[in-house]
Amino acid sequence: TKILELAVNEDEKAFIIAHEMSHLRQGFFLPDLSGVILSAEQLKRFQDIYQKWEHDADLEASAILAQAGFSPK
């Protein structure tokens, strides 16, 4: 939504959409943590998992776009 407005070209827009679609395909959904208090260890674990999800979504999005002929940069 707002992030699409920051994309400067069609390749970037396509990457954003492919990245978000990758989250859906891989079943990556953030839990609702409203009102939840996490220990430092739990927060670190959550951050590690989140970073892996983002990395995996980037990789899948890059592969999808390369196959579709978009610029990988």
Side-chain angles (χ1 to χ4, degrees):
T1 55
K2 284 285 188 186
I3 195 167
L4 285 174
E5 295 173 12
L6 300 175
V8 297
N9 58 44
E10 293 303 312
D11 289 337
E12 288 183 4
K13 288 178 184 178
F15 182 84
I16 292 166
I17 293 167
H19 173 95
E20 296 307 324
M21 288 175 58
S22 294
H23 283 305
L24 294 174
R25 283 178 26 99
Q26 296 176 18
F28 296 157
F29 299 98
L30 291 176
D32 181 7
L33 297 176
S34 301
V36 174
I37 298 173
L38 300 175
S39 69
E41 183 179 321
Q42 289 170 320
L43 181 58
K44 174 69 172 124
R45 177 77 176 125
F46 180 77
Q47 289 172 327
D48 290 346
I49 291 169
Y50 179 77
Q51 285 181 332
K52 181 174 179 355
W53 287 352
E54 290 301 312
H55 178 75
D56 290 350
D58 284 348
L59 291 177
E60 184 173 330
S62 294
I64 290 168
L65 293 179
Q67 288 177 339
F70 283 88
S71 171
K73 296 182 180 188

